[in-house]
Amino acid sequence: MKKSVIKDCIIVLGFALVVSGAIFIRPLSNLDEIWIYNFARCIHDGLLPYKEFNMIITPLFPMICSVFLHIFGNEMIVLRSLEVVEISIILFMIYKILTRLKINNYISLIITLRNILYSF
């Protein structure tokens, strides 16, 4: 493997470690998180959105979540793990954009880690 691919994997794993520390200790009080889990669970159980249960949001994200619920099990921790992966990838894309703008790698990393504070 190339050196840059290994470096990118280490950065993504570092982001995932930092983000998971914030997500998994959070109490289950966010109603949006519960609603998305319930919508994904209903789709996983074979119900049709807007026909057999009511949804306010568009069904793409709960459909994606229902696939992961089907693969890994019907638990809330699966969606929280998916959230860790999603936020880590978003932070990695921010980091890559900053490095492509010719900003120093360490400064890009600091700016990206600062964005974690705003998401939590």
XYZ file of all heavy atoms in Angstrom, residues 33-97:
544
model
N -32.893 11.091 16.837
C -32.203 9.811 16.770
C -33.183 8.651 16.983
O -33.132 7.636 16.288
C -31.110 9.798 17.835
C -30.206 8.612 17.793
C -29.109 8.705 18.828
O -29.286 9.398 19.840
O -28.078 8.052 18.621
N -34.101 8.817 17.903
C -35.098 7.780 18.170
C -36.065 7.655 16.997
O -36.447 6.539 16.614
C -35.834 8.095 19.485
C -34.854 8.045 20.646
C -36.970 7.108 19.718
C -35.407 8.577 21.945
N -36.457 8.769 16.414
C -37.364 8.723 15.261
C -36.716 8.021 14.077
O -37.343 7.190 13.415
C -37.779 10.118 14.854
C -38.827 10.746 15.703
C -39.464 10.199 16.774
C -39.364 12.054 15.550
N -40.353 11.083 17.299
C -40.321 12.235 16.577
C -39.129 13.089 14.677
C -41.043 13.395 16.722
C -39.846 14.257 14.824
C -40.795 14.407 15.833
N -35.462 8.348 13.797
C -34.780 7.701 12.667
C -34.655 6.205 12.929
O -34.845 5.387 12.016
C -33.418 8.368 12.409
C -33.641 9.767 11.823
C -32.581 7.534 11.455
C -32.398 10.581 11.672
N -34.346 5.835 14.163
C -34.279 4.403 14.483
C -35.639 3.746 14.276
O -35.723 2.650 13.708
C -33.806 4.197 15.919
C -33.947 2.766 16.368
C -33.103 1.790 15.873
C -34.940 2.388 17.262
C -33.234 0.472 16.261
C -35.075 1.083 17.658
C -34.226 0.129 17.155
O -34.362 -1.177 17.528
N -36.696 4.390 14.713
C -38.030 3.814 14.563
C -38.415 3.708 13.082
O -38.992 2.706 12.658
C -39.061 4.639 15.326
C -40.398 3.952 15.373
O -40.474 2.735 15.460
N -41.459 4.743 15.299
N -38.102 4.734 12.290
C -38.404 4.671 10.852
C -37.610 3.541 10.192
O -38.156 2.774 9.385
C -38.074 5.990 10.159
C -38.917 7.154 10.610
C -38.401 8.440 10.576
C -40.207 6.987 11.067
C -39.162 9.524 10.984
C -40.981 8.057 11.478
C -40.452 9.331 11.436
N -36.323 3.422 10.535
C -35.505 2.353 9.962
C -35.988 0.983 10.407
O -35.991 0.030 9.624
C -34.043 2.561 10.361
N -36.444 0.881 11.652
C -36.966 -0.389 12.155
C -38.254 -0.777 11.439
O -38.464 -1.945 11.096
C -37.207 -0.295 13.660
C -37.604 -1.596 14.307
C -37.972 -1.402 15.759
N -38.995 -0.383 15.958
C -40.311 -0.573 15.765
N -40.736 -1.735 15.362
N -41.166 0.403 15.982
N -39.115 0.212 11.181
C -40.357 -0.073 10.451
C -40.063 -0.531 9.024
O -40.697 -1.471 8.527
C -41.246 1.165 10.441
S -42.001 1.534 12.032
N -39.095 0.119 8.362
C -38.718 -0.305 7.010
C -38.084 -1.694 7.061
O -38.343 -2.539 6.195
C -37.779 0.737 6.370
C -38.538 2.044 6.123
C -37.195 0.220 5.067
C -37.669 3.198 5.689
N -37.285 -1.945 8.084
C -36.677 -3.269 8.264
C -37.740 -4.346 8.448
O -37.593 -5.472 7.965
C -35.746 -3.229 9.479
C -35.202 -4.554 9.867
N -35.798 -5.342 10.825
C -34.132 -5.249 9.437
C -35.114 -6.453 10.956
N -34.095 -6.422 10.135
N -38.830 -4.002 9.129
C -39.909 -4.960 9.354
C -40.824 -5.131 8.151
O -41.767 -5.915 8.208
C -40.738 -4.536 10.571
C -39.945 -4.658 11.860
O -38.929 -5.381 11.881
O -40.345 -4.016 12.857
N -40.583 -4.386 7.070
C -41.343 -4.566 5.845
C -42.496 -3.598 5.650
O -43.284 -3.766 4.719
N -42.613 -2.596 6.500
C -43.684 -1.615 6.346
C -43.306 -0.587 5.290
O -42.128 -0.291 5.083
C -43.960 -0.922 7.682
C -44.380 -1.836 8.837
C -44.504 -1.032 10.117
C -45.668 -2.547 8.515
N -44.301 -0.059 4.612
C -44.076 0.932 3.566
C -44.199 2.346 4.132
O -45.196 2.670 4.782
C -45.084 0.753 2.430
C -44.974 -0.544 1.645
C -46.130 -0.661 0.669
C -43.648 -0.602 0.913
N -43.175 3.183 3.862
C -43.259 4.567 4.348
C -44.431 5.307 3.707
O -44.776 5.078 2.546
C -41.934 5.182 3.918
C -41.042 4.051 3.577
C -41.919 2.906 3.207
N -45.032 6.199 4.468
C -46.152 7.055 4.072
C -47.444 6.281 3.852
O -48.492 6.875 3.697
C -45.837 7.883 2.817
C -44.612 8.709 2.935
C -43.500 8.453 2.148
C -44.547 9.756 3.835
C -42.362 9.217 2.257
C -43.405 10.531 3.953
C -42.322 10.252 3.161
O -41.190 11.008 3.269
N -47.384 4.955 3.782
C -48.607 4.176 3.595
C -48.977 3.439 4.882
O -50.119 3.484 5.319
C -48.419 3.175 2.459
C -49.672 2.421 2.122
C -49.480 1.545 0.905
C -50.787 0.861 0.584
N -50.660 -0.039 -0.543
N -48.014 2.751 5.467
C -48.287 1.965 6.662
C -47.767 2.625 7.941
O -48.102 2.184 9.028
C -47.684 0.574 6.500
C -48.324 -0.171 5.347
C -47.692 -1.510 5.079
O -46.537 -1.748 5.473
O -48.360 -2.332 4.453
N -46.930 3.637 7.794
C -46.520 4.453 8.952
C -46.171 5.847 8.451
O -45.799 6.027 7.295
C -45.359 3.818 9.741
C -44.055 3.750 8.995
C -43.089 4.726 9.166
C -43.785 2.703 8.129
C -41.891 4.658 8.491
C -42.588 2.628 7.453
C -41.641 3.601 7.630
N -46.339 6.816 9.315
C -46.137 8.210 8.941
C -44.681 8.613 9.116
O -44.042 8.265 10.102
C -47.006 9.132 9.797
C -48.465 8.940 9.510
O -48.852 8.614 8.400
N -49.287 9.134 10.524
N -44.185 9.373 8.130
C -42.831 9.918 8.199
C -42.890 11.390 7.863
O -43.668 11.804 7.002
C -41.900 9.227 7.197
C -41.508 7.842 7.558
S -40.401 7.113 6.355
C -38.922 8.038 6.626
N -42.055 12.168 8.518
C -41.945 13.579 8.196
C -40.786 13.815 7.241
O -40.859 14.639 6.345
C -41.766 14.401 9.488
C -43.000 14.240 10.356
C -41.514 15.864 9.193
C -42.864 14.818 11.732
N -39.707 13.057 7.430
C -38.515 13.219 6.602
C -38.625 12.330 5.364
O -39.488 11.455 5.279
C -37.249 12.874 7.403
C -37.276 11.425 7.877
C -37.090 13.818 8.578
C -35.991 10.956 8.512
N -37.721 12.555 4.419
C -37.692 11.695 3.238
C -37.114 10.331 3.626
O -36.309 10.228 4.548
C -36.839 12.333 2.128
O -35.528 12.583 2.641
C -37.462 13.623 1.656
N -37.491 9.273 2.932
C -37.159 7.925 3.420
C -35.775 7.395 3.042
O -35.453 6.273 3.396
C -38.243 7.062 2.777
C -38.607 7.769 1.537
C -38.466 9.234 1.857
N -34.921 8.179 2.367
C -33.644 7.620 1.927
C -32.743 7.246 3.103
O -32.225 6.121 3.153
C -32.911 8.600 1.006
C -31.543 8.119 0.518
C -31.700 6.885 -0.346
C -30.823 9.214 -0.223
N -32.546 8.141 4.038
C -31.654 7.839 5.156
C -32.180 6.699 6.027
O -31.400 5.807 6.388
C -31.383 9.103 5.982
C -30.355 8.908 7.042
C -29.044 8.610 6.710
C -30.685 8.997 8.376
C -28.086 8.411 7.683
C -29.745 8.809 9.359
C -28.431 8.520 9.005
N -33.472 6.657 6.379
C -33.949 5.473 7.121
C -33.835 4.172 6.315
O -33.627 3.107 6.901
C -35.410 5.795 7.415
C -35.460 7.266 7.455
C -34.485 7.715 6.410
N -33.941 4.237 4.988
C -33.754 3.020 4.181
C -32.310 2.537 4.257
O -32.061 1.333 4.359
C -34.151 3.282 2.734
C -35.620 3.317 2.501
S -35.972 3.569 0.755
C -37.743 3.662 0.793
N -31.359 3.478 4.209
C -29.948 3.102 4.349
C -29.708 2.519 5.732
O -29.030 1.493 5.885
C -29.048 4.320 4.084
C -29.156 4.751 2.611
C -27.601 4.019 4.434
C -28.508 6.080 2.309
N -30.272 3.138 6.747
C -30.123 2.633 8.116
C -30.766 1.268 8.282
O -30.246 0.425 9.018
C -30.728 3.625 9.104
S -29.824 5.169 9.230
N -31.879 1.029 7.603
C -32.540 -0.271 7.733
C -31.694 -1.396 7.143
O -31.750 -2.525 7.631
C -33.916 -0.232 7.078
O -33.812 -0.173 5.674
N -30.896 -1.088 6.127
C -29.987 -2.100 5.576
C -28.967 -2.498 6.640
O -28.689 -3.690 6.839
C -29.290 -1.563 4.306
C -28.169 -2.484 3.866
C -30.290 -1.376 3.186
N -28.418 -1.507 7.339
C -27.449 -1.815 8.394
C -28.117 -2.521 9.573
O -27.499 -3.374 10.212
C -26.738 -0.545 8.850
C -25.710 -0.074 7.864
C -26.013 0.899 6.931
C -24.443 -0.616 7.864
C -25.076 1.327 6.022
C -23.487 -0.199 6.957
C -23.809 0.776 6.026
N -29.364 -2.178 9.869
C -30.082 -2.900 10.918
C -30.304 -4.356 10.524
O -30.266 -5.252 11.362
C -31.423 -2.229 11.210
C -31.398 -0.908 11.959
C -32.814 -0.383 12.134
C -30.715 -1.043 13.286
N -30.553 -4.590 9.249
C -30.757 -5.950 8.770
C -29.461 -6.757 8.838
O -29.483 -7.944 9.189
C -31.286 -5.922 7.335
C -31.582 -7.269 6.777
N -32.641 -8.037 7.214
C -30.954 -8.005 5.841
C -32.645 -9.182 6.558
N -31.628 -9.180 5.717
N -28.338 -6.122 8.535
C -27.057 -6.835 8.508
C -26.533 -7.080 9.922
O -26.135 -8.197 10.263
C -26.017 -6.041 7.683
C -26.430 -6.017 6.208
C -24.627 -6.654 7.821
C -25.600 -5.093 5.347
N -26.531 -6.042 10.752
C -25.858 -6.123 12.052
C -26.791 -6.363 13.237
O -26.321 -6.557 14.350
C -25.044 -4.853 12.302
C -23.940 -4.664 11.315
C -23.982 -3.632 10.398
C -22.862 -5.524 11.298
C -22.968 -3.456 9.492
C -21.840 -5.356 10.388
C -21.885 -4.313 9.480
N -28.078 -6.309 13.029
C -29.004 -6.538 14.125
C -29.832 -5.310 14.411
O -29.437 -4.178 14.147
N -31.002 -5.537 14.980
C -31.974 -4.471 15.204
C -31.733 -3.834 16.575
O -32.489 -4.037 17.510
C -33.384 -5.063 15.104
C -34.431 -3.997 14.966
O -34.134 -2.809 14.987
N -35.664 -4.422 14.826
N -30.657 -3.054 16.677
C -30.283 -2.409 17.934
C -29.932 -0.948 17.680
O -29.485 -0.583 16.589
C -29.074 -3.103 18.564
C -29.291 -4.543 18.918
C -30.219 -4.726 20.089
O -30.275 -3.831 20.946
O -30.902 -5.764 20.132
N -30.107 -0.127 18.688
C -29.791 1.292 18.580
C -28.293 1.522 18.448
O -27.861 2.474 17.803
C -30.333 2.021 19.824
C -30.229 3.484 19.752
S -31.351 4.089 18.500
C -31.084 5.810 18.664
N -27.483 0.643 19.008
C -26.035 0.811 18.934
C -25.530 0.686 17.498
O -24.493 1.248 17.146
C -25.311 -0.173 19.879
C -23.875 0.275 20.078
C -25.364 -1.577 19.372
C -23.264 -0.193 21.351
N -26.261 -0.028 16.658
C -25.890 -0.130 15.247
C -26.005 1.240 14.590
O -25.108 1.646 13.824
C -26.772 -1.173 14.530
C -26.531 -1.174 13.039
C -26.547 -2.551 15.112
N -27.063 1.965 14.888
C -27.213 3.302 14.302
C -26.197 4.280 14.873
O -25.727 5.165 14.170
C -28.633 3.827 14.512
C -29.709 3.151 13.690
C -31.038 3.857 13.872
C -29.345 3.127 12.226
N -25.850 4.120 16.124
C -24.815 4.991 16.700
C -23.458 4.684 16.073
O -22.668 5.586 15.833
C -24.769 4.839 18.209
C -25.945 5.513 18.864
C -25.671 5.862 20.258
N -26.720 6.748 20.756
C -26.721 7.247 21.962
N -25.741 6.961 22.785
N -27.691 8.036 22.351
N -23.176 3.426 15.799
C -21.935 3.067 15.102
C -21.926 3.629 13.691
O -20.895 4.111 13.211
C -21.765 1.554 15.057
O -21.759 1.016 16.344
N -23.064 3.582 13.032
C -23.188 4.169 11.700
C -22.975 5.677 11.761
O -22.361 6.262 10.859
C -24.561 3.836 11.108
C -24.839 4.278 9.695
C -23.883 3.621 8.717
C -26.272 3.969 9.319
N -23.433 6.300 12.824
C -23.234 7.740 13.010
C -21.757 8.063 13.197
O -21.253 9.064 12.670
C -24.038 8.221 14.211
C -23.985 9.700 14.444
C -24.825 10.131 15.628
O -25.506 9.291 16.243
O -24.781 11.331 15.947
N -21.037 7.218 13.917
C -19.596 7.409 14.093
C -18.884 7.336 12.746
O -18.039 8.180 12.426
C -19.022 6.352 15.070
C -17.506 6.330 15.018
C -19.484 6.618 16.473
N -19.245 6.355 11.933
C -18.632 6.215 10.610
C -18.966 7.421 9.738
O -18.076 7.976 9.060
C -19.101 4.897 9.941
C -18.687 4.833 8.492
C -18.565 3.707 10.706
N -20.212 7.847 9.762
C -20.637 8.974 8.942
C -19.902 10.261 9.323
O -19.375 10.967 8.451
C -22.144 9.155 9.097
C -22.708 10.323 8.343
C -24.180 10.542 8.655
O -24.704 9.924 9.607
O -24.784 11.348 7.948
N -19.832 10.567 10.598
C -19.165 11.796 11.035
C -17.664 11.716 10.773
O -17.044 12.707 10.380
C -19.474 12.064 12.521
C -20.946 12.425 12.681
C -18.609 13.195 13.060
C -21.395 12.576 14.108
N -17.064 10.544 10.935
C -15.635 10.390 10.656
C -15.324 10.636 9.189
O -14.325 11.289 8.860
C -15.164 8.996 11.055
O -15.356 8.780 12.412
N -16.181 10.142 8.314
C -15.964 10.356 6.878
C -16.155 11.824 6.520
O -15.390 12.380 5.712
C -16.889 9.437 6.061
C -16.432 7.986 6.223
C -16.905 9.834 4.598
C -17.364 6.969 5.627
N -17.129 12.481 7.120
C -17.338 13.915 6.867
C -16.126 14.717 7.332
O -15.641 15.608 6.623
C -18.630 14.398 7.541
C -19.845 13.833 6.824
C -18.693 15.926 7.565
C -21.148 14.064 7.538
N -15.615 14.402 8.516
C -14.433 15.104 9.019
C -13.212 14.834 8.149
O -12.396 15.734 7.913
C -14.154 14.696 10.460
C -15.140 15.207 11.497
C -14.852 14.577 12.843
C -15.113 16.709 11.582
N -13.080 13.618 7.645
C -11.967 13.306 6.751
C -12.076 14.092 5.449
O -11.057 14.562 4.928
C -11.908 11.803 6.469
C -10.790 11.423 5.556
C -9.484 11.490 5.995
C -11.048 11.010 4.259
C -8.439 11.145 5.150
C -10.021 10.664 3.417
C -8.705 10.735 3.852
N -13.289 14.243 4.929
C -13.457 15.034 3.711
C -13.106 16.504 3.955
O -12.495 17.149 3.098
C -14.876 14.893 3.169
C -15.133 13.546 2.547
S -16.669 13.422 1.630
C -17.867 13.574 2.912
N -13.465 17.027 5.123
C -13.080 18.396 5.473
C -11.565 18.511 5.514
O -10.974 19.468 4.984
C -13.711 18.812 6.819
C -15.219 18.960 6.690
C -13.095 20.115 7.327
C -15.932 19.149 8.013
N -10.919 17.536 6.134
C -9.457 17.533 6.209
C -8.826 17.493 4.821
O -7.874 18.228 4.540
C -8.997 16.345 7.052
C -7.511 16.136 7.051
C -6.679 16.966 7.784
C -6.941 15.111 6.311
C -5.308 16.780 7.789
C -5.574 14.916 6.305
C -4.761 15.752 7.036
O -3.408 15.574 7.023
N -9.345 16.639 3.952
C -8.784 16.528 2.600
C -9.002 17.805 1.785
O -8.134 18.203 1.003
C -9.384 15.328 1.857
C -8.835 14.010 2.309
C -7.334 14.013 2.308
C -6.777 13.076 1.284
N -5.316 12.991 1.342
N -10.143 18.441 1.958
C -10.388 19.706 1.257
C -9.394 20.757 1.714
O -8.840 21.509 0.896
C -11.842 20.167 1.480
C -12.807 19.276 0.697
C -12.026 21.622 1.067
C -14.260 19.503 1.032
